[in-house]
Amino acid sequence: MLNFSAANLFAHVAPETLSEDLTEQVAANQMNAQLLLQRAESYRYSKNWESALADYAAAEKLGMGEDVSFYRARMYLDAGQSADSISEAKIFLKHHPNNAAVLGTLAYAYQLSGNTVAAIAMMQAALPELLAPTADYYIDLSEWYQKENNIQAALEILDAGNARLHGSTALQIRALELAAANGNFNEALYRLAALPENLRSQPAW
């Protein structure tokens, strides 16, 4: 899954320590919306949804505008509230229609809601805007196509990702497994032959 988690920012800091430090900074700079957003994200990271929402609202009152909707959309997605995530993401999307992060957030929120078709559309819109995509993006999208019984599209997106990433063993293996699982053995053999030699000799194949 696409990782829009605050964990990237706070990987080396205990959430409770971070929120305590930011609370001291907020107390000394009560009109600083950026500090409020940082503290809200630390609350989101520790799954303290109520406190996160309070800080998002405070930052919004200080003039952060639609930007807060994006942060709330990610928080609601983390909390498993797909409908609220979609609503907030759409507010931000009106002002930033090509923003990869919000398009990705919408993709996962739609998938969480059970709307795989919309999830596919949002992810397809997000991928060209991503500066440094990883294999996970393409694997997730291929799984969504598979859910829609569109195996050909699933294989094509894996191939597109493999080309864009200049060769990805993870995507090649995923395509091989997908072809084999759906009984397309000629396709599977073709993809097996394209794997590096050390992988072709693995017992799983």
Side-chain angles (χ1 to χ4, degrees):
M1 166 175 178
L2 277 171
N3 183 10
F4 300 121
S5 171
N8 288 349
L9 299 175
F10 310 132
H12 304 296
V13 184
E16 61 275 9
T17 301
L18 181 64
S19 58
E20 289 172 4
D21 291 344
L22 284 168
T23 294
E24 293 178 2
Q25 295 180 53
V26 168
N29 302 273
Q30 296 184 15
M31 302 302 291
N32 190 318
Q34 288 292 342
L35 282 175
L36 284 164
L37 279 178
Q38 289 179 40
R39 188 173 66 175
E41 288 291 272
S42 75
Y43 285 137
R44 171 186 158 223
Y45 179 35
S46 60
K47 299 184 179 181
N48 186 343
W49 314 127
E50 185 176 350
S51 295
L53 285 172
D55 274 358
Y56 290 142
E60 190 171 33
K61 289 180 181 178
L62 291 176
M64 290 300 292
E66 74 276 357
D67 287 353
V68 176
S69 292
F70 170 62
Y71 289 100
R72 272 197 294 252
R74 297 194 306 177
M75 190 221 73
Y76 282 129
L77 179 59
D78 288 350
Q81 300 179 39
S82 59
D84 290 326
S85 180
I86 291 167
S87 295
E88 292 288 345
K90 284 182 174 180
I91 293 171
F92 185 83
L93 192 64
K94 288 180 181 178
H95 301 273
H96 307 277
N98 298 316
N99 184 282
V102 73
L103 288 167
T105 299
L106 268 171
Y108 284 102
Y110 277 124
Q111 179 60 23
L112 182 63
S113 74
N115 190 341
T116 305
V117 172
I120 289 171
M122 289 298 104
M123 186 63 81
Q124 285 282 26
L127 282 172
E129 305 300 328
L130 288 166
L131 297 178
T134 65
D136 288 342
Y137 300 111
Y138 294 95
I139 289 173
D140 285 346
L141 184 52
S142 75
E143 289 175 353
W144 299 347
Y145 275 123
Q146 186 178 12
K147 286 183 179 179
E148 293 297 304
N149 295 314
N150 193 340
I151 304 304
Q152 186 58 39
L155 291 170
E156 288 174 358
I157 199 63
L158 292 168
D159 288 340
N162 187 54
R164 186 174 179 186
L165 298 179
H166 307 291
S168 166
T169 301
L171 294 180
Q172 291 171 338
I173 291 175
R174 163 67 181 155
L176 168 59
E177 292 174 340
L178 183 60
N182 284 274
N184 192 339
F185 298 115
N186 287 334
E187 179 81 16
L189 287 171
Y190 165 77
R191 292 180 179 279
L192 178 60
L195 286 176
E197 186 175 355
N198 64 312
L199 292 176
R200 291 201 302 271
S201 62
Q202 293 298 314
W205 316 127

